[in-house]
Every structure is written in C-alpha cells, then in structure tokens.
Amino acid sequence: MLIKRLTDANGLPGFECEVREIIKEEIKPYVDEMYTDRMGNLIAVKNKNKAGRHIALSAHMDEVGLCVSHIDKDGYIRFHSWGVDARILPAKIVRIGKDRVVGVTGTKAIHLQDPEERTKALPVDKLYIDIGAESKEEAEKLVEPGDFVAFDSEYVEFGNKVKAKALDDRAGCLAIIEMLKSDYPHKLTACFVVQEEVGLRGSIISAYQIDADLVLNLEGTIAADTMSIKEHQTVNIQGDGPSISMIDRTSIYLKKYIDALTEVADKNGIPYQFRRSQMGGTDAANYHVAHGGTPVVGLAVPCRYIHSPVSIVDKRDLENFLKLTQKFVFAYGNGEIL
Amino acid sequence: MVTTKEFLISLCNSTGVAGFEFQQTAGLVSDAFREFCDEVWTDTLGNVIGHKKGKGKFSVLFSAHMDEIGLMVSGYEKGGFLRFTPIGGYDQRSLVAQEVYVHGKEDVYGIIGVKPPHITTAEEAKKAHKIEDMAVDTGLDDEKLKELVRIGDVITLKREVVELRNESIAGKALDDRAGIAALYQCMKDLHKTDCDIDVYYVASTQEEIGAKGALTAVYELKPDIAIALDVCHGLTPDVAEPKGKKMGGGPVISRGINIHPRVFESLVKTAKDHYIPFQKEVLPGPSGTDAMTMQIAGAGTASGVISFPLKYMHTSVEVMKMKDIMLTSKLISNYVLDLCGKDLEEMLCL
C-alpha cells in the first residue's frame, strides 16, 4: 500500500532521498517530465503543453526527527531535535542514518530518580541514544555526527484510524501522487519539497521554479480532539473532514479561494472543516508571495499526535482529503470556479 | 529446543503483567521448563516451578520473576479513550507516545497520545506529562470499545525486542525474564548431571508489587537455600558506580540484610573457583527482589541475591547483555555442583 510505503520510508530534513525515490518510481509513467533541483525538491509536470489554467500542487517530503550531534567517550550518541517536543523522546526505538542503525533512547531508571525529578520534563541535552556500542571508536564506525535519526514506527491500521510516523506530510505527497495518476486534462505541476519542518526552506526555491495560476498546498495538520483538551482548543476534529486553512503564522489565505473550495466540497457532498488556530506555518508562506503574488489554497488532513512517532489520521478524512483535492483541481481546471 | 537467546526474546515479547502472568508468559515458561525438569507444576499464585530431583535431603531454590510492570484500565472517556492506572513502577515520562495493547476480549491496539506542541505553553513543556492525565486512544466507537474492554483489563506496551551491538538486547520486561533465561540455561546444563541436591527453578509471580509469588513458593517448598536472580542497574551516562554496575562484567553477587552471609560467601567462592568474572553489590536495605520475602517465608530460608546489570529499568527499552545472562547461569549451575555431597545444615551454620 502506497501510504504505508511512504510513511515507513525515512526522510529527515535534508535527507529526503528515500521518499523521493518512491515518489519518482510511482509517478514516472504519468508525467511528461520531472527533475530534482539543487536542494532536493522533486518537480514534475503533467500535460506540459496543454493551454489553459495551470495549477500546481505542493507537499513536503521531510518529517520531524533528530540529528546526531556528538558521540561521547563511552559510545552514547547525543542529538539535536528537529521539530520534536523532547517529552515524547524517552524509551523509543530509533534508526540512525541510511543504514538504519538501531538504537534506543535511554533515561535514568525511575528507582534512581528523586520524586522531584519525576515531575520534570527531560530536555534534549539530558537524553542520549544507546546502540549497544562499548566505545566511542566502535560507535564511530557506524554513526557520524550529522546523521539523521528517524523514529522506528510502522504503519498500523486500527479502528477507523491509521497510525504511522510522518503522516505530516506523506498524506500530502499521497494526494499529489494520486492526482498525477488520474486522467487530468489540464497542465499540472507537482512539487514535492524538502526541509519544510526546519523553516519552510525547500519551497522558497520551488516557488520560483514554477509558474502556476494557483497553488494547492497539501498538508498534515493538528487535530487536538483528544480527551483532556477543551473543545475550543481542538483546532480540528477527526472524522469531520479535511481541514481548510484560513490563517496561520506565515500566511493569510485569500478569501475568494477558500469560498471556491467550500463551494466544490458542498456541491460534491464532501465534508470539510476550518482550521481553528493561528499556530503553525506551511509552505504557502513562500508560494503566496512568489512572482509578485500567487493565489494559494491550503488543505490538510487532521493528524492527532502530530510531530510524534505515533501520529494518527482518520481513514475517512484521508479519503475525503484525496476526493476534495481531485474535485477542486478538476473544477478549477475546467473553469467551473474562480 | 530453542537457544536461550531465542527463548528470552519470546518471553520479553509475551504478555504477563503482575497478577496476569497466565495470559502468555507462564505458558511459555512451563513448556520450556518441561524439556529439562523432572517435574513442572503451577501453584496457586501462578508460580511455575520446575524440579530437578535429588536425594530429598537438601534443596536449593532459584527464583526469577516472570511478571512485568503494566497498566490497568480504570475508566472510559468519550471518543474511544481509556483511562488507566499503573501496576508497578513506571516512569510516567516513558509512557508518552507509546503504542499499547489493551488485553480485553481481544487485544485492542491503541496509542498513549499527547497534546501537540503547537498548543503547549513553554511552561507546560518543562513539566512531565502526568500519568493521571494520560489516556489510550483506541480509535474505536465508544459502544464497540465497551463491548471489547472491561474496567480492570490490563494494558502492555507494544514492544518487540530489538538487538543492539555486542549481543545486547533491548525490549520490555527483560526485568526479570532475563533471569528466567538464566534459569533455562542452567537447567539445560544440569539436567543430565547426577546430584544429591534437589533443585527448584521458580518463575515467580507478582514480584513487581511485593514479591508475593516467591513468598508462597518458598513456604511450600521449604528449600535450604533460596536465591533470587534479578536485575540491577547498569552503568550509563547518568548512572555511575556504586549504583551502576558494568555491563558485561558478569553477575553481581549481593551482600546485605536480605542475604544470608554463608550464601554470599559460598557464591563468591564458586565464582572464584571456576574463574567466573563477577561484581559485588551492597544492598543495605530491602533488596527489591524475591529475596525480601523468601528470607522470611515459613520458618525462614538462607537467601541470596544474584543480579545482572540492566539499563533503563522499568521502561520499554531495557537493555542487557547476553554475556551477563550466560555468566549468571554458569555461576548458578556451578554453585549447584559445588553443593553436591555437602551437608548444607553445617554449611549454613551461623
């Protein structure tokens, strides 16, 4: 299954190769051309010579995780965190670098902590990875500072949900791949971008390599509809449909495009919800100010426990996310909206 | 017959929370013990006991506990969530963002979730998530969930053993299934030897909540010597000597209030006589092992503690070295052979 392959692959910021190769293989028969730019963004064009409206789709290939910073004298590995709340890190299995060297994140046993310690979060600099090496020299043969560290978390389906790492934003990558596979009659450019999680970096340059009338940015976003969270803080509720962005820390989305998106959803009976938070940022930040301004629509699938190894999406949301993407792109291409 | 390492991996991957050892672990243990013991049975509290028959005069008992720490369902919350309470001492910080199985009518998969960082304040981020605020997200409709899961069902973390460098293994419940692996290796080595001492191998229950299984086993079996095999802390960047012991440094022979002086001395002698590398540890207070209750079971027993270093105790990524398990097994099998023909009454005299 494609979503399993995409989420089981590791693609830390700057190391998106595994994900990119899967995407290239999947989309090759369906596009006219594709190339990888200097930073690693994969850009593909379908129906290259078709006149008329030109829509671009963008999703990021990278995921949150860790980066090896140092190997200490006894062979324990210290790390930086890329977009991860340090509180989720203790007692996890991780994979380091291309060879997926297995390690665990260790912590002092509860028996040796004083009661005060047990109530405090462990900061990243107190944590380390144990690969079982007995010395610095041994560890250095397998791991180098700068190597990426990914969570070991396999795709699982349960109840109405799917659990995996990196659903933010492999769900978006999936939607674009499915779009390319469908028989779309207009010109369409796909951007699979790098380094979103470390400051929206890849899309700074993808935005200037494309020249579209409209960009549809596809994301995984927050669903905080869990037990201890107040209703007004939920941002999105799983099962209520894909989430439409209105505003976040990096962009205000153009009202008439939001209205066009909801019009398509209503017409096709696809459920949707508005993203009820100003927090976070997306690649829309770079697209909407490129080339003297490009309209951007933001659509996302709500993820519980986002930025953790165990993020969850609702299968129905994922299905409706794919459906709404397709219907919207067709409606736009055919001039039915806007 | 499987290798001791394979046996240990299957034990760690199995489910057997304190009081619920019967769910999977006890069955695996009794099947394995049956290969190499003259007799195997399960007692009232669920201890699995293997007997290597001697002449019926003197006996030695080795215990390793098969229970693991876990969680218990304490309530339902709207939206397919389950509240829980710990069985045994979990570090609450190690529970966040873990996958679990709820052992209801069927095994129900779930996740212990966490509030997203985007809506977490800087102040909140400094504090550990509290266990009483956590819940398991099962992804099920409330009705379906109530059909499958009852209050009181147990929950275990979903964790399969992974192998690290230098014959180290990482997983849950190595505390103290590693001890059972040492028993298994010992019975393999001894089952064909002729010895006048009766040997009891006990996979004990409920150690994590007060060493209850070992208490009743020793009461029933009345051994002359009862030795607990359990874990101690290994050296890590945040655990130094004397609390931490060297990984791969061999069994740790303990001395302290739960330990009969002659048992300590005789174990050290066996280690030295057979050139088995070993370490020493002082346990001036309660040992936190089966020896606590075995010492005072019935009319009392000469108890001892042998431990082996384990890192990250009571998390789902406990790490230990096969070398320490094999050396521990070597120590106890040689100990039995050294006791052969001896008058234990005289040896244990204070």
Side-chain angles (χ1 to χ4, degrees), chain A residues 163-218:
Chain A
K163 165 253 142 183
K165 68 175 179 62
L167 282 161
D168 167 17
D169 183 28
R170 305 290 152 73
C173 294
L174 175 76
I176 302 182
I177 295 168
E178 295 301 335
M179 193 63 228
L180 291 172
K181 286 180 181 173
S182 67
D183 192 15
Y184 183 73
H186 308 279
K187 184 174 176 186
L188 189 145
T189 299
C191 302
F192 300 94
V193 304
V194 297
Q195 297 192 21
E196 191 271 351
E197 297 291 0
V198 289
L200 318 175
R201 308 279 304 163
S203 58
I204 297 175
I205 67 163
S206 67
Y208 284 95
Q209 294 172 70
I210 61 168
D211 185 17
D213 301 308
L214 172 70
V215 176
L216 178 54
N217 192 57
L218 298 166

Side-chain angles (χ1 to χ4, degrees), chain A residues 288-304:
Chain A
H288 84 292
V289 294
H291 301 293
T294 308
V296 182
V297 171
L299 188 64
V301 61
C303 298
R304 281 183 188 165

Side-chain angles (χ1 to χ4, degrees), chain A residues 246 252-259 294-297:
Chain A
M246 298 174 293
I252 294 175
Y253 299 80
L254 297 178
K255 179 78 168 90
K256 84 171 174 181
Y257 291 86
I258 294 172
D259 292 344
T294 308
V296 182
V297 171

Side-chain angles (χ1 to χ4, degrees), chain B residues 9 158 215 244 266 275 298 318:
Chain B
I9 292 173
K158 174 179 182 277
L215 175 71
S266 53
Y275 304 101
E318 295 177 334

Side-chain angles (χ1 to χ4, degrees), chain A residues 70-265:
Chain A
H70 176 73
I71 300 170
D72 77 14
K73 64 176 176 37
D74 297 318
Y76 292 92
I77 292 157
R78 305 283 177 166
F79 52 84
H80 289 294
S81 154
W82 278 323
V84 182
D85 178 349
R87 292 183 298 171
I88 65 158
L89 294 175
K92 299 293 177 304
I93 295 176
V94 295
R95 300 277 171 175
I96 307 167
K98 286 197 293 260
D99 297 333
R100 300 194 167 213
V101 174
V102 63
V104 301
T105 48
T107 49
K108 185 159 71 174
I110 185 169
H111 317 68
L112 305 174
Q113 300 165 18
D114 58 50
E116 172 77 15
E117 251 179 297
R118 296 174 194 171
T119 64
K120 282 191 191 144
L122 279 161
V124 170
D125 58 9
K126 287 252 171 70
L127 294 163
Y128 48 87
I129 298 166
D130 184 348
I131 61 167
E134 289 173 344
S135 66
K136 185 182 172 95
E137 292 68 36
E138 186 190 351
E140 277 174 344
K141 283 184 194 143
L142 299 155
V143 175
E144 259 192 288
D147 283 353
F148 67 82
V149 182
F151 296 113
D152 186 304
S153 175
E154 264 191 331
Y155 175 92
V156 174
E157 292 186 19
F158 68 112
N160 297 319
K161 315 277 182 183
V162 162
K163 165 253 142 183
K165 68 175 179 62
L167 282 161
D168 167 17
D169 183 28
R170 305 290 152 73
C173 294
L174 175 76
I176 302 182
I177 295 168
E178 295 301 335
M179 193 63 228
L180 291 172
K181 286 180 181 173
S182 67
D183 192 15
Y184 183 73
H186 308 279
K187 184 174 176 186
L188 189 145
T189 299
C191 302
F192 300 94
V193 304
V194 297
Q195 297 192 21
E196 191 271 351
E197 297 291 0
V198 289
L200 318 175
R201 308 279 304 163
S203 58
I204 297 175
I205 67 163
S206 67
Y208 284 95
Q209 294 172 70
I210 61 168
D211 185 17
D213 301 308
L214 172 70
V215 176
L216 178 54
N217 192 57
L218 298 166
E219 263 287 9
T221 193
I222 308 165
D225 58 330
T226 58
M227 188 198 68
S228 54
I229 314 273
K230 294 189 186 86
E231 204 181 333
H232 70 277
Q233 289 185 313
T234 54
V235 186
N236 285 294
I237 291 175
Q238 286 204 328
D240 281 3
S243 169
I244 299 173
S245 291
M246 298 174 293
I247 186 169
D248 55 42
R249 281 219 166 146
T250 55
S251 322
I252 294 175
Y253 299 80
L254 297 178
K255 179 78 168 90
K256 84 171 174 181
Y257 291 86
I258 294 172
D259 292 344
L261 184 59
T262 58
E263 187 189 323
V264 172

Side-chain angles (χ1 to χ4, degrees), chain A residues 17-92:
Chain A
C17 182
E18 262 183 56
V19 180
R20 189 167 50 236
E21 289 307 311
I22 293 173
I23 296 172
K24 274 159 76 174
E25 183 198 314
E26 280 295 316
I27 66 174
K28 203 171 169 204
Y30 307 101
V31 298
D32 298 322
E33 58 182 38
M34 63 173 158
Y35 67 97
T36 303
D37 73 11
R38 277 282 175 267
M39 263 183 97
N41 298 312
L42 175 66
I43 296 172
V45 182
K46 187 180 174 79
N47 302 329
K48 189 179 154 194
N49 299 317
K50 282 269 162 63
R53 289 180 151 183
H54 174 202
I55 188 165
L57 302 170
S58 184
H60 66 89
M61 295 186 285
D62 61 316
E63 67 190 269
V64 297
L66 314 169
C67 170
V68 174
S69 60
H70 176 73
I71 300 170
D72 77 14
K73 64 176 176 37
D74 297 318
Y76 292 92
I77 292 157
R78 305 283 177 166
F79 52 84
H80 289 294
S81 154
W82 278 323
V84 182
D85 178 349
R87 292 183 298 171
I88 65 158
L89 294 175
K92 299 293 177 304

